[in-house]
Structure formats: structure tokens, C-alpha cells
Amino acid sequence: MTAIRPAVEAKGVSRIFQGAGQDAVKALDNVSVSIRENEFFTLLGPSGCGKTTLLRLIAGFDYPTDGEILLHGQDIAPLPPFKRPVNTVFQSYALFPHMTVAENIGFGLKMLGKPKAEIAARVDAMLKLVHMQEQRNRRTSQISGGQQQRVALARALAPQPKVLLLDEPLSALDYKLRKEMQIELKRLQHETGITFIFVTHDQEEALTMSDRIAVMSSGNILQVGTPWDVYDRPAERFVADFIGETNFLTGTIESAGNGHARIVLSSGARICATAAKDFQLGSMATLMVRPEHARLVKGTGDLAGTIETIVYFGTDTHIHVRLDGGEAFIVRQQNSRCANCGFERGDKVGIQIGDDAAQLLKD
Amino acid sequence: MASAKEIADKAERDDIQSRWLLSTPALLIVFLAALGPLLIVVVYSFLTPGNYGDVKWQFSTNAWVSVLLERDVFDDTLSLAGAHLSIFWRSVSLSAMTTILTLIFGFPTAYFIATRPEHRRDIWLFLITIPFWTNLLIRTFAMQEVLRNDGIVNWVLQALGITDHPVQLMYTNFAVLAGMVYVFLPLMVLPLYASMEKIDFRLVEAGYDLYATRLQVLRRIIIPLVTPGIVAGSILVFIPSLGAYVTPRVLGGGTNLMIGNLIELQFGQGRNWPLGAALSIALMTIVMVALLFYVRNTTRSDGSHG
């Protein structure tokens, strides 16, 4: 890989909120992360994991209790938010209700003291970019939620920030519009070449849009990687559980080495799993298998069990299997043909697990 | 069997009926307590003053003439009533100053309260309303204690060596102004607070994010959003200031009269009820005109934002 200068770098950043009395809340606990130039970087995690706090620290609305944040190698701690070359798309959009669409978009440039002609030209370009030319003179209360979203985006992009911060900007939109805006955002990021830092709790959104994802939980970053990394090679159980559906199985490690390990389940079934690090022989360990990486067979497979429920999803079918050892296991089959999946409730089935599909996790 | 349409129509009729029934007490109060007395005042202003107060039922426009003009005792010529005009002018200018000063003092106060955590705001609002618990007259006399020659202000000034003899504060326009600002400040703070509380403070963050400095955020975001509160507060302060009676009487003495005192004079010692009535109507007209002018101006400047 070429040497890439980080656009934003957090070094050992902590933010502790002093609550009433003795209870202090650690919103961020010694977080370090490096975000590359022109990257679509996502902070993903459940609510309260600290992702929005980190975003607010970068924007300058809040200050770290400890650690430093660098923007292109420069410490931005002394800069108030109105001097930082970053802009934010707020979750609630925070459009100015007393201004028109065009005035909202031009606000940042006006505050920067740009000449009127330049502002007008830039506002026009932004309106065109987000397809809102016709609504330019409307009040923000007179346009739909999706349009407000576009205006918020155009307003944040107009001053050409080095970094664009997006705080769950799609969460208020309905499903179809959200899908549209996901593609739109990706296009805008591509066209403008601006570094996007995107906060979301929606794992699907994170997977489809990001170049890299940081998975966060209770003030910590658990894993940073490409969508493929965090989905297929989760570093720990929380990541595997939070992103997508997963089957977890617990067993004893029988043999290990060469990046692989053999685990014996309680039913006596043996599964070969990839192991990122060395595990101690004889110890208990958890492995994960994604439902789409397993296949049902009529005969014997790696695992054996009985079908409990069959759930039809249109594109695919989820088959809930009770393993002979008592664990629940879900297999996902794509509905490639119009016929049903070919299995019935109560069938005794085998489960075939693909090569490298099972993976040992650290707890 | 009644059709669905008939039932719906009947429900609507009943609804309108009960609405009228519910608003009857309010309408009665408006007609009897507000419009009735007003009508009597208008009628009185066109009558002739009685010898010992009261009125004689004899039509006359003299009261209206003497609102602004005075008749020379010797040659019967009319000239502008300088005394009335100066009182009118003092009333309007003092009220305007009161409004501006309460706005200057009230704005940061309201902003402070609106930005406190929610559970603490009530305490601050409670503190703001405490002066209302005490009689206006007593508060005004307390102000007199502060301002008189051997009062606190003069004592401090002398102790600091700023002046070696007491500064005359009582019975000046300054004393009236100070008293009115003190009395009317809560009437400005409360509506300002009410509209500031509604501001989504993420808009302020958005302003900072878009390179607006603190002053620009105040001017371009907070003030436009608080305009309804500024209008309401100004009206609530300006109107009672214009008709203020107790404050100019106690703090302004006999020399710094305002319209309220002038009207009282006509109904009391002056024994000229028609003139008092005419002055009252004149005061009301000034208030209405000022109000219309103000509301139209502020709403227009608000409109130019967008």
C-alpha cells in the first residue's frame, strides 16, 4: 500500500462525563484511530457506544478529557468549531427555519466572507449536485424529509470542507429513501473526493457504503477494517454478533496449529475452524458460522439436527435447526428457484459447513 | 333511521352550539368589563365638567381641544399646550427607553435561563417572578430608599470618593426610568425566555459548524428565532410603561409627570372628568398606533430574512 497521510487521527482520546454525584460516564475510553484521506469511514455501534461523542470531538462541539485529535497532522484542540475545516450533517439536519433552501446552503460561505458572486455560483452548483434547483426559494419547512436531508448535505459540502462528518443522517428517512440516499452519498463522496466520517448504528448501511468500518462498543473501538474484514473476520464475539446474523457454537479445542483449530462440540461433532491466534488445547472456545455459509443436506454433514422452523423471506429462506447437542443453528438458503426449499419441519438433516466458514473467536 | 350524513350534520351543529355556549362567559366579560367602560369614557370625553367633579350632560368638544391646545385666558386664542405635550413626550420617550433597557438586561438573563439544564430552569423562573409577590407601591418605595440622597447609591458613591456631596437622583427622569426598568423587567424576560426555550440549540451548533462566530450566531440565528419573544416582551413592557402611574408619582415627584399622572390629576384635583377621559382615549390611541407600527415593522424585517 502507498503511504497515506491520515486525514483525521485520534490519539488516546477519552471523554468522561461527570454525572451527578460520583458516577462518571466514560463515553470514550482511550480511543485511537486513524482515518485516511478521501476515505468513506464509518463509526458503527449501538447507541451509547461513543460514536457520536467522537464525532462531536472532531467537530469541536465538545472537548476530550484526555488525548489529542489531529487534522492532517495538526492538533485541532485549540480551534473553536467555527475555525475547523470540517462540516457536519446533523442527525436532525438542523436546517435554519428562518432561511430558504439557498440561504441555508450559502450560510457557511457567507460566514467565511466569500464574495457574493462566488457564493451564488457555489450555491447553484450545490443545488444541482443534490438535485434541488427547483426548491431553492422554499422555506425548509416546506420541503420533505428527504429533501431536507439533501439540503443539509449541500449546506455542509458548500464550504468544501476537508472532512465531512455525518451523524446518522439517514436514520429519519423511510427504507426506500434511505437506500436511495445511501447510493447518493456514495456518489457524492466519490465526486467530491472529501473524507467522509459517517456515524450509524445500522450495520447494513455501514457494510454497503464504507471503505472502512470501526466497530465501537461502550467507549472502545473493537475492530477497524474493511466491510469484508468486520463481517467475515470479526475480531471478537461482539463484532460478530452486532454485524449480521451469526451462529455461535461452543466446544473444546482438540488440536490447533497453522492458523486452524479443531473443536469438539458437546454432541461429539468435530468442526475445523480458522483461528487468528493460538488457542490453548483443551480449553473452551466459541466459534461462529454465518447462516449463509452453511448448507443443509439430506444425509450426514458436519453437524446433525432436526428442523424446527422454516421462515420464508422472499429472496431467501431461513431454516432453524435444533442440533443434536441442543444448540440452535440457522441456515440461510437463497431461493434460486420458485420451488420451496425442499425440506419440511421435523426433518432430520445434516449441515455442511463451507471451507474456512467456521471461525474461532476470542471472547 | 337517520342517515350517516344527517348524524354527521347534527354532530357538527351540536359542536358549533356548544362552542358558542362555552365562549359565552368570555364574551360577556369582554362586552361588560372592557367595551362597556370604554364606551362610558368616550361619552364622558364629549361632556362638560361638573362643578365638583362628575359631568354635566351637555355636549362639548372643549376636552378634546385642550388635550393638545390651550385657550389664552385674556384673548381666547388657542396655542399648543406645552405642558401636555412635554408630558406626552416624556411618557413616550421614557417608555421607549424602558423597553430598550429591559430588552438589553432581559435578553442575556433569558438566554442564561434557557440554557440551564431543564430541572434548574424552574428555579430561575421562580426567582424572576418573586418581585411580583410584593405590592408595586412597596417595591417603588424600596427603590426610593435606594435612590434618595442618603440612600445606598449615594452612600456607595461617597464612600468610594467619586463625589463628596449627594447626587440628586430622586425626582428626576432617571429615577422614573430606573424604577420602571426594575418593575417591568420580568415582563420582558418571560416572553423572551418562552421563545428562547423553543430554540433547537443544535441550530446554534450548526451555525458554529458553518464558520459563524459567536456574534454572528447571535445576530443571524438566535435573534431572528427569538423575534416573536422580542415583539411580545416589548409590547408587554411598552404599554404599561406608557400608562405608568405609581412609579412616576413616587420617584418622579410632582415635576416629572407622565400621562397616567396627568389623567389622575384631571379626575382628582383638576375636577375635569371630560379632559381626563379625552386624555385616556388619546393615550389608548397612541398605544394602538405605536403597536400597529411596531408589529408591522418587525414582521416585515423578519420577512426579509427569507
Side-chain angles (χ1 to χ4, degrees):
Chain A
M1 230 181 218
T2 51
I4 301 168
R5 187 172 65 139
V8 178
E9 212 176 351
K11 284 183 175 169
V13 171
S14 295
R15 177 69 177 97
I16 296 158
F17 290 105
Q18 212 64 51
Q22 301 248 309
D23 49 328
V25 182
K26 263 193 178 175
L28 285 175
D29 186 8
N30 194 19
V31 164
S32 295
V33 67
S34 169
I35 296 158
R36 295 171 196 148
E37 195 95 48
N38 304 341
E39 185 172 38
F40 197 120
F41 191 88
T42 299
L43 299 170
L44 174 67
S47 55
C49 71
K51 54 192 193 299
T52 297
T53 306
L54 184 55
L55 204 71
R56 290 174 60 82
L57 293 182
I58 298 170
F61 302 139
D62 198 2
Y63 292 89
T65 315
D66 202 8
E68 59 180 354
I69 294 169
L70 308 178
L71 189 72
H72 295 290
Q74 189 201 349
D75 186 4
I76 51 171
L79 296 180
F82 53 86
K83 286 195 179 145
R84 297 187 182 194
V86 299
N87 288 126
T88 309
V89 179
F90 293 85
Q91 184 172 11
S92 54
Y93 312 143
L95 298 178
F96 304 126
H98 55 292
M99 298 180 198
T100 63
V101 166
E103 283 169 335
N104 262 283
I105 296 174
F107 187 83
L109 295 163
K110 197 168 165 186
M111 293 302 109
L112 285 172
K114 299 278 185 215
K116 275 205 168 116
E118 191 190 326
I119 296 176
R122 188 103 189 98
V123 167
D124 281 339
M126 281 297 126
L127 285 166
K128 204 172 161 202
L129 188 71
V130 296
H131 309 306
M132 290 284 293
Q133 291 109 310
E134 279 163 37
Q135 287 83 9
R136 60 176 305 143
N137 292 321
R138 296 270 195 91
R139 288 290 179 119
T140 55
S141 54
Q142 298 166 329
I143 56 176
S144 72
Q147 291 173 330
Q148 288 181 12
Q149 216 286 315
R150 284 162 203 270
V151 175
L153 202 60
R155 185 180 71 173
L157 283 172
Q160 290 173 298
K162 297 249 174 64
V163 176
L164 187 72
L165 309 173
L166 301 106
D167 186 8
E168 307 216 20
L170 306 180
S171 59
L173 304 179
D174 62 51
Y175 183 78
K176 249 194 144 154
L177 206 53
R178 200 159 66 223
K179 291 276 149 209
E180 259 176 56
M181 284 308 296
Q182 285 176 8
I183 296 163
E184 188 89 355
L185 271 180
K186 194 75 190 150
R187 172 181 75 88
L188 284 171
Q189 197 256 334
H190 197 75
E191 279 178 21
T192 55
I194 292 172
T195 307
F196 277 33
I197 303 179
F198 187 89
V199 160
T200 184
H201 63 266
D202 184 336
Q203 40 108 0
E204 195 186 316
E205 205 166 272
L207 291 175
T208 51
M209 299 169 77
S210 320
D211 292 323
R212 285 195 308 153
I213 298 170
V215 184
M216 296 185 70
S217 169
S218 44
N220 291 294
I221 291 182
L222 303 179
Q223 186 175 5
V224 179
T226 62
W228 185 84
D229 282 334
V230 293
Y231 185 79
D232 264 349
R233 292 288 174 263
E236 47 193 288
R237 187 179 172 136
F238 179 88
V239 178
D241 200 17
F242 188 73
I243 299 174
E245 258 185 301
T246 316
N247 295 300
F248 292 107
L249 296 170
T250 311
T252 319
I253 297 176
E254 194 182 48
S255 68
N258 211 4
H260 285 75
R262 183 180 295 278
I263 293 100
V264 189
L265 303 183
S266 58
S267 62
R270 287 175 164 74
I271 294 175
C272 187
T274 55
K277 59 169 191 137
D278 287 336
F279 290 86
Q280 212 184 337
L281 290 184
S283 66
M284 296 292 283
T286 303
L287 62 82
M288 61 156 265
V289 181
R290 293 285 182 196
E292 69 275 19
H293 293 161
R295 205 160 51 82
L296 280 190
V297 289
K298 296 252 162 136
T300 50
D302 298 316
L303 298 164
T306 314
I307 293 178
E308 274 194 331
T309 324
I310 297 174
V311 186
Y312 179 70
F313 276 90
T315 54
D316 45 34
T317 306
H318 290 194
I319 301 133
H320 295 245
V321 178
R322 179 66 57 187
L323 298 183
D324 289 350
E327 305 98 328
F329 196 97
I330 300 170
V331 176
R332 181 151 140 194
Q333 289 198 335
Q334 207 172 356
N335 298 328
S336 48
R337 261 163 283 161
C338 284
N340 66 12
C341 63
F343 294 96
E344 299 269 350
R345 204 175 146 222
D347 280 2
K348 288 272 183 197
V349 289
I351 295 168
Q352 201 82 53
I353 292 169
D355 288 341
D356 288 344
Q359 200 198 333
L360 266 196
L361 297 169
K362 63 176 188 204
D363 275 314
Chain B
M1 278 291 276
S3 75
K5 188 176 178 341
E6 278 165 19
I7 294 172
D9 285 348
K10 187 180 178 322
E12 197 179 332
R13 255 180 288 128
D14 286 354
D15 189 38
I16 291 168
Q17 245 170 31
S18 64
R19 235 181 288 164
W20 274 106
L21 213 63
L22 283 172
S23 52
T24 307
L27 290 175
L28 272 177
I29 288 174
V30 168
F31 278 110
L32 293 180
L35 287 180
L38 193 65
L39 213 68
I40 295 173
V41 174
V42 172
V43 171
Y44 271 30
S45 73
F46 287 103
L47 295 176
T48 311
N51 290 336
Y52 304 100
D54 210 335
V55 286
K56 277 190 235 162
W57 284 87
Q58 201 168 53
F59 180 79
S60 157
T61 53
N62 276 345
W64 279 101
V65 171
S66 47
V67 166
L68 287 179
L69 303 172
E70 57 191 351
R71 199 175 291 274
D72 195 283
V73 189
F74 301 107
D75 56 11
D76 247 16
T77 52
L78 290 168
S79 58
L80 278 176
H84 286 186
L85 278 182
S86 77
I87 288 171
F88 274 31
W89 172 243
R90 181 183 297 118
S91 296
V92 171
S93 60
L94 277 180
S95 302
M97 290 279 280
T98 305
T99 311
I100 293 166
L101 286 175
T102 49
L103 186 59
I104 290 172
F105 289 121
F107 196 93
T109 311
Y111 189 82
F112 172 82
I113 299 173
T115 49
R116 290 311 95 193
E118 214 157 318
H119 60 279
R120 297 235 191 92
R121 290 182 206 160
D122 290 345
I123 298 169
W124 287 105
L125 285 177
F126 172 74
L127 290 174
I128 288 286
T129 53
I130 279 184
F132 281 139
W133 296 12
T134 318
N135 185 290
L136 172 64
L137 201 58
I138 294 168
R139 277 184 286 154
T140 312
F141 275 116
M143 201 67 188
Q144 193 177 32
E145 283 303 297
V146 173
L147 295 176
R148 70 196 164 90
N149 280 0
D150 43 3
I152 298 167
V153 171
N154 269 313
W155 182 78
V156 170
L157 286 179
Q158 280 168 314
L160 291 174
I162 293 167
T163 174
D164 51 358
H165 55 88
V167 178
Q168 180 63 43
L169 295 172
M170 280 301 293
Y171 313 122
T172 60
N173 282 342
F174 170 80
V176 178
L177 188 62
M180 293 208 299
V181 168
Y182 164 61
V183 166
F184 293 124
L185 189 59
L187 294 180
M188 181 61 91
V189 171
L190 293 177
L192 277 180
Y193 166 78
S195 60
M196 274 185 200
E197 188 209 32
K198 276 187 238 131
I199 294 184
D200 180 355
F201 277 90
R202 280 169 299 194
L203 294 178
V204 174
E205 277 189 354
Y208 286 138
D209 188 63
L210 292 161
Y211 313 108
T213 59
R214 283 175 187 86
L215 209 65
Q216 284 169 322
V217 165
L218 179 70
R219 197 164 85 82
R220 307 231 174 234
I221 297 166
I222 298 173
I223 289 180
L225 293 174
V226 182
T227 301
I230 295 174
V231 172
S234 304
I235 290 170
L236 280 182
V237 170
F238 184 76
I239 292 175
S241 301
L242 208 52
Y245 165 68
V246 171
T247 312
R249 177 73 189 268
V250 175
L251 299 175
T255 49
N256 293 284
L257 294 184
M258 286 177 63
I259 304 178
N261 308 100
L262 185 61
I263 293 169
E264 189 266 347
L265 214 57
Q266 304 313 320
F267 282 100
Q269 291 152 300
R271 289 181 190 162
N272 192 344
W273 289 20
L275 179 56
L279 284 169
S280 302
I281 303 292
L283 172 63
M284 217 178 80
T285 315
I286 294 175
V287 168
M288 296 244 275
V289 168
L291 212 65
L292 277 175
F293 184 74
Y294 182 68
V295 169
R296 186 189 278 182
N297 256 9
T298 45
T299 46
R300 189 187 298 147
S301 73
D302 182 45
S304 74
H305 284 290

